[in-house]
């Protein structure tokens, strides 16, 4: 596949209809706009990762948590003799859904509308935020309760509501910890994975107005403190905002998968429910959920089934919210869909299994990725949603070991997309980079024997800098530092293999 | 152009004029379970207990007495019958004397009650899951959510092996609640802790 720099558009203005297209896969579809939402970090991954790696407490917390969840997942996945068949079916279902995404969305809209719901469409984060803000304003309420939702984090909904004078109460325990601690989420499933029980206790003691001063750091006591803190808010809430794990096109059924019951509170008690959903999160038929309701809980929390799954279709008289709105958000997803290699990233069901097995994530944590989507899936999703040049360091935030692909319940080939995005980034450079100059020189040397021998002899000088250590120092002068500051460069050997052969065998082959 | 037209137009542009054929979805995973009912019931009990629910088993003639025992287990003996709310369609033969019955009161009033008693629509053995479908025997969603103790009566004919069989028995247009054990969280160091916002006690009466 070839792309030219102008294919990788990151500006906000959509192309005019009929504007010239310059690539075969990227068709000038707008990516997620800058200035709103949480898909871009303010630093590159290596810079942010370097700070994270120095935080011993963070690394201990992450190491403990990811090890726990890896073990739980492996045990419950091993219980199912047909796991690989389910995985293949999940992958095929998502491919089939994307192949007719427009038709399924139109059907979903028809079904939700027929059952008393209202469907709204949003081109991007800003439009979605405006729609939700207006809907909340129309109810007259100045506060909402929220179910944990990646889509609303992605679009920065809480900030938009706050700017409009509306208070959003996060109700998922981990989201609550993040919100009370004035922190940012660092994991898809457990946004507060970077905090341990002692740190969580400290946040609760500092920020919960009526908390018991004798609160211990026992997880059960901490969960009870959250229950007490939120109970009254649930009972008085008039408006709730949720995401959706799945939407069934043929029936208009929406599904939220959760553990604590905060989701059920939000989906059941308020008069108005506003659900914000990315356009890719639907499945064609009710039966398709038989696959995903097996894949998701075992992959995410390592349970046979999560404690609570709620489904609803439109409005049910006498049971639950009587005013239901579904907001369908693009925000760069159609640009991802246009890339035949990268579109697999839209198959993600947000289980976070790839984060938990990733050797890079386990050490750096989620904040280093700068986006609400961290880890391996974030490294392929965020750069595609924003355009590669706005998250150019993320495709390199991986050792390409492939553990993420192995555990992905819908078999997204993350390593291949990473390589694809790296190639796109390299081809997008209008001026040669130090790396590309170095590799071009290397290619020339490797195809000319005399040059190669000269280069080997020159490289041997590196031994003077290494002073007997097995690797070269990380602090080499620029431009070599760009390579060595995050990679080990072995010290050149005293003698090359060819030179040794010539010495010992006198040039006989 | 409306946002709807624009987003749909973008999707059509992204997929191109000559669309790839829709791949066939091979469903060669397990969709039925041939184990005898007695074995499925044992699996269900094992999985419910593994996720910290309590299970009491009884014959069809002894349901009301076992529901009383379940409430004793969940609330401690000496509970007031008026503090327990039953789903409006719960069969009369399953009800201990004096229980309150849910009506169209504001749902938040259910938060003051100690326990609720409902039937289920389907139970899934392999995952230890109960599914309530909002019909009168199961009650509205708030009923199985707000009281701190939930007693569910499951009959043997409602128990299926796995998830695929359960969805085939359910109506996707009803508001469904799938319940697997008491409310829980894994948000602190990824360790499971039972009891957050939903009922902290789940007692299942299994009738066979």
């Amino acid at each position: 596949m070839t792309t030219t720099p102008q294919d990788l558009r990151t500006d906000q203005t959509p192309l005019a209809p009929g504007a010239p297209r310059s690539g075969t896969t990227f068709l000038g579809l707008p990516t997620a706009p800058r200035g709103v939402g949480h898909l871009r970090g303010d630093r590159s991954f290596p810079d942010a990762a370097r700070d994270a790696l120095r935080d011993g407490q963070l690394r201990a917390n992450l190491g403990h948590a990811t090890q726990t969840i890896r073990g739980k997942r492996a045990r419950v996945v091993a219980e199912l003799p047909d796991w690989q068949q389910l995985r293949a079916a999940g992958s095929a279902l998502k491919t089939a859904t994307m192949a007719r995404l427009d038709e399924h969305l139109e059907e979903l809209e028809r079904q939700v509308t027929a059952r008393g719901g209202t469907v709204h469409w949003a081109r991007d984060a800003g439009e979605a935020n405006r729609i939700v803000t207006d809907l909340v304003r129309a109810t007259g309420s100045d506060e909402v309760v929220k179910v944990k939702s990646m889509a609303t984090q992605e679009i920065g909904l809480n900030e938009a509501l706050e700017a409009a004078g509306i208070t959003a109460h996060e109700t998922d325990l981990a989201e609550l910890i993040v919100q009370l601690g004035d922190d940012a989420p660092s994991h898809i499933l457990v946004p507060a994975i970077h905090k341990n029980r002692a740190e969580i206790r400290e946040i609760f003691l500092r920020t919960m107005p009526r908390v018991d001063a004798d609160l211990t750091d026992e997880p059960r006591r901490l969960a009870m403190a959250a229950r007490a803190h939120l109970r009254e808010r649930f009972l008085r809430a008039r408006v709730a905002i949720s995401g959706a794990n799945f939407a069934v096109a043929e029936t208009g059924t929406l599904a939220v998968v959760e553990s604590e019951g905060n989701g059920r509170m939000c989906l059941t008690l308020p008069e108005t429910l506003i659900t914000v959903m990315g356009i890719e999160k639907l499945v064609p038929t009710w039966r398709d959920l038989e696959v995903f309701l097996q894949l998701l809980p075992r992959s995410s929390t390592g349970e046979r089934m999560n404690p609570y799954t709620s489904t609803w279709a439109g409005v049910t008289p006498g049971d639950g919210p009587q005013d239901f709105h579904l907001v369908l958000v693009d925000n760069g997803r159609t640009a991802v869909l246009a890339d035949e290699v990268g579109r697999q990233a839209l198959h993600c069901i947000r289980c976070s299994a790839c984060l938990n097995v990733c050797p890079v994530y386990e050490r750096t944590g989620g904040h280093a990725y700068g986006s609400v989507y961290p880890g391996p899936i974030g490294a392929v999703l965020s750069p595609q949603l924003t355009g590669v040049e706005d998250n150019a360091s993320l495709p390199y935030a991986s050792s390409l070991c492939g553990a993420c692909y192995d555990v992905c319940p819908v078999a997204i080939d993350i390593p291949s997309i990473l390589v694809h995005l790296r190639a796109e980034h390299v081809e997008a450079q209008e001026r040669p980079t130090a790396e590309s100059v170095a590799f071009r020189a290397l290619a020339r040397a490797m195809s000319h024997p005399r040059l190669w021998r000269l280069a080997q002899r020159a490289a041997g000088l590196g031994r003077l800098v290494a002073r007997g250590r097995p690797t070269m120092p990380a602090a080499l002068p620029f431009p070599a530092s760009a390579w060595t500051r995050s990679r080990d460069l072995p010290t050149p050997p005293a003698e090359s293999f060819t030179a040794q052969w010539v010495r010992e065998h006198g040039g006989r082959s | 152009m409306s946002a709807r037209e624009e987003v749909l137009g973008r999707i059509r542009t992204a997929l191109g004029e000559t669309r790839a054929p829709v791949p066939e979805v091979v469903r060669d995973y397990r969709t039925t379970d041939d184990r005898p009912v007695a074995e499925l019931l044992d699996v269900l009990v094992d999985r419910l207990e593994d996720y910290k629910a309590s299970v009491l088993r009884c014959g069809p003639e002894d349901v009301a007495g076992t529901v009383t025992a379940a409430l004793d287990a969940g609330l401690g003996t000496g509970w007031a019958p008026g503090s327990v709310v039953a789903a409006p369609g719960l069969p009369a033969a399953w009800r201990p004397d004096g229980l309150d019955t849910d009506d169209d009161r504001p749902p938040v009033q259910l938060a003051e009650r100690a326990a609720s008693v409902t039937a289920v629509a389907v139970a899934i053995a392999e995952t230890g899951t109960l599914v309530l479908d909002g019909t009168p025997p199961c009650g509205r969603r708030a009923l199985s959510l707000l009281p701190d103790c939930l007693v569910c009566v499951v009959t043997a004919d409602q128990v299926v092996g796995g998830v695929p069989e359960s969805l085939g028995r359910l109506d996707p247009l009803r508001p469904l609640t799938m319940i697997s054990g008491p409310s829980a969280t894994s948000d602190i160091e990824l360790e499971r802790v039972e009891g957050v916002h939903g009922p902290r006690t789940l007692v299942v009466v299994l009738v066979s």
Side-chain angles (χ1 to χ4, degrees):
Chain A
M1 190 207 70
T2 56
T3 53
T4 54
Q6 56 266 44
D7 296 329
L8 298 156
R9 303 171 69 251
T10 53
D11 59 318
Q12 300 175 29
T13 42
L15 278 182
R21 293 170 186 165
S22 48
T24 50
T25 53
F26 282 88
L27 304 167
L29 294 167
T31 49
R34 291 175 182 158
V36 56
H38 301 286
L39 287 171
R40 296 165 175 86
D42 46 13
R43 294 195 293 168
S44 74
F45 180 82
D47 289 340
R50 196 162 301 111
D51 286 352
L53 290 171
R54 284 197 200 103
D55 185 339
Q57 183 67 63
L58 173 74
R59 291 184 63 173
N61 295 353
L62 283 168
H64 170 70
T66 52
Q67 190 179 0
T68 305
I69 194 68
R70 283 198 299 268
K72 285 171 72 178
R73 177 201 165 273
R75 276 193 297 280
V76 296
V77 164
E79 276 183 8
L80 292 191
D82 53 351
W83 183 255
Q84 293 305 335
Q85 287 91 324
L86 285 166
R87 213 172 152 240
S91 175
L93 277 167
K94 283 293 184 179
T95 306
T97 307
M98 297 309 149
R100 298 291 179 273
L101 187 58
D102 50 345
E103 295 167 17
H104 296 309
L105 283 167
E106 287 177 296
E107 180 64 14
L108 177 71
E109 180 184 44
R110 265 193 297 278
Q111 296 298 330
V112 169
T113 309
R115 307 192 199 297
T118 309
V119 177
H120 309 259
W121 300 71
R123 298 172 182 89
D124 56 33
E127 188 167 26
N129 288 335
R130 281 193 297 280
I131 291 169
V132 175
T133 306
D134 288 347
L135 287 170
V136 177
R137 277 203 180 122
T139 68
S141 181
D142 61 1
E143 65 171 4
V144 299
V145 284
K146 278 190 69 202
V147 192
K148 179 177 153 19
S149 142
M150 294 307 297
T152 62
Q153 283 179 22
E154 172 192 323
I155 64 176
L157 178 62
N158 288 9
E159 291 86 340
L161 290 173
E162 193 184 339
I166 299 162
T167 308
H169 301 292
E170 291 290 353
T171 65
D172 169 77
L173 177 52
E175 288 282 11
L176 179 69
I177 295 163
V178 167
Q179 191 177 41
L180 292 176
D182 199 17
D183 198 351
S186 71
H187 190 275
I188 290 173
L189 172 72
V190 194
I193 195 171
H194 56 290
K195 296 287 186 199
N196 66 21
R197 55 187 74 187
E199 293 166 306
I200 294 166
R201 170 179 175 269
E202 186 274 322
I203 291 170
F204 281 8
L205 284 176
R206 188 160 44 83
T207 59
M208 284 183 175
R210 287 188 292 275
V211 74
D212 179 0
D214 298 328
L215 183 69
T216 67
D217 65 4
E218 187 194 337
R220 188 175 167 76
R221 293 283 305 277
L222 295 170
M224 287 308 99
R227 177 185 169 104
H229 178 75
L230 288 172
R231 190 85 179 167
E232 188 250 340
R233 293 204 164 91
F234 285 132
L235 297 182
R236 73 165 189 237
R238 289 165 49 212
V239 183
I241 296 174
S242 83
N245 291 95
F246 306 101
V248 180
E250 69 166 357
T251 60
T253 308
L254 285 135
V256 164
V257 172
E258 52 131 357
S259 293
E260 296 165 15
N262 63 308
R264 294 186 64 195
M265 291 281 188
C266 294
L267 301 172
T268 308
L269 298 180
E271 297 148 22
T272 301
L273 171 62
I274 303 165
T275 298
V276 181
M277 186 184 103
I279 53 170
E280 82 285 19
K281 302 224 78 174
L282 79 183
V283 295
T285 72
W286 173 246
R287 192 186 172 189
D288 300 334
L289 288 184
E290 72 187 19
V291 175
F292 296 109
L293 288 180
Q294 295 192 75
L295 290 172
L296 179 55
R298 289 180 199 257
S299 299
S300 63
T301 51
E303 294 166 308
R304 296 185 190 101
M305 191 63 95
N306 50 291
Y308 296 129
T309 297
S310 299
T311 73
W312 71 98
V315 170
T316 305
D319 191 345
Q322 297 301 297
D323 188 18
F324 170 56
H325 298 269
L326 176 62
V327 183
L328 299 171
V329 186
D330 180 351
N331 205 38
R333 284 164 177 75
T334 46
V336 185
L337 187 67
D339 184 326
E340 286 172 24
V341 177
R343 66 169 59 140
Q344 282 183 74
L346 297 176
H347 298 186
C348 174
I349 56 173
R350 310 282 188 264
C351 73
S352 67
C354 62
L355 279 61
N356 302 330
V357 298
C358 178
V360 176
Y361 177 88
E362 186 180 358
R363 286 162 180 81
T364 65
H367 291 159
Y369 294 80
S371 159
V372 294
Y373 302 111
I377 188 63
V380 296
L381 194 54
S382 309
Q384 294 198 86
L385 289 171
T386 61
V388 175
E389 294 311 291
D390 274 22
N391 267 308
S393 64
L394 288 185
Y396 300 89
S398 167
S399 65
L400 300 180
C401 75
C404 47
Y405 184 20
D406 289 344
V407 297
C408 177
V410 290
I412 300 171
D413 185 356
I414 294 174
S416 292
I417 309 176
L418 286 167
V419 172
H420 170 71
L421 294 175
R422 290 179 186 186
E424 236 168 53
H425 169 61
V426 168
E427 286 174 24
Q429 304 310 310
E430 290 177 22
R431 274 172 304 188
T433 61
E435 192 183 36
S436 70
V437 169
F439 271 104
R440 221 167 292 153
L442 186 63
R444 188 173 156 69
M446 289 178 92
S447 48
H448 295 79
R450 191 172 305 163
L451 262 181
W452 181 241
R453 278 194 294 275
L454 276 172
Q456 279 185 320
R457 235 171 283 155
L461 296 173
R463 296 178 61 77
L464 300 175
V465 185
R467 293 187 193 157
R469 283 183 296 251
T471 57
M472 300 287 282
L476 284 182
F478 184 82
S481 61
W483 183 268
T484 55
R485 67 181 183 156
S486 50
R487 299 171 185 86
D488 287 334
L489 186 65
T491 301
E495 191 176 32
S496 75
F497 176 78
T498 0
Q500 188 184 341
W501 183 273
V502 169
R503 182 167 53 75
E504 291 178 3
H505 297 80
R508 285 172 289 119
S509 58
Chain B
M1 197 172 11
S2 71
R4 178 183 189 278
E5 291 313 311
E6 191 162 335
V7 172
L8 288 170
R10 289 175 187 176
I11 293 171
R12 289 175 191 131
T13 305
L15 292 176
E17 279 167 21
T18 48
R19 295 187 170 199
V22 178
E24 191 199 350
V25 177
V26 179
R27 297 183 193 263
D28 56 356
Y29 48 85
R30 296 168 303 147
T31 52
T32 56
D33 194 323
D34 299 333
R35 285 178 283 186
V37 175
E39 199 178 326
L40 288 182
L41 298 187
D42 288 345
V43 173
L44 176 65
V45 172
D46 175 71
R47 301 296 153 88
L48 283 166
E49 290 177 343
D50 192 27
Y51 283 163
K52 306 293 188 290
S54 313
V55 184
L56 300 176
R57 301 183 69 158
C58 67
E61 68 293 334
D62 195 23
V63 180
T66 312
V67 168
T68 302
L71 289 163
D72 287 345
L75 302 175
T77 50
W79 46 271
S83 69
V84 178
V85 196
L90 194 75
W94 293 3
R95 296 168 58 115
D97 291 337
L99 295 197
D100 187 9
T101 300
D102 192 24
D103 46 30
D104 54 5
R105 72 191 83 177
V108 293
Q109 289 183 11
L110 293 166
E112 298 150 18
R113 300 312 173 98
S116 55
V117 183
T118 76
V120 309
V122 177
I124 310 169
E126 193 169 270
T127 58
T129 303
L130 314 175
V131 190
L132 279 61
D133 67 358
T135 53
C138 296
R140 56 179 166 166
R141 285 175 283 177
L143 180 64
S144 56
L145 173 65
L146 289 172
D148 202 13
C149 169
L150 171 63
V151 175
C152 287
V153 183
V154 179
T155 57
D157 59 318
Q158 294 177 315
V159 179
V160 299
V163 174
E165 288 164 278
S166 74
L167 294 191
R169 288 197 188 193
L170 292 163
D171 178 356
L173 303 184
R174 306 259 355 143
L176 303 176
T177 305
M178 303 183 177
I179 300 174
S180 308
S183 157
T185 181
S186 304
D187 279 354
I188 301 167
E189 299 179 11
L190 279 165
E191 282 176 21
R192 184 175 158 117
V193 180
E194 278 76 20
V196 198
H197 304 295
R200 285 178 281 191
T201 307
L202 172 64
V203 190
V204 179
V205 173
L206 181 56
V207 187
S208 58

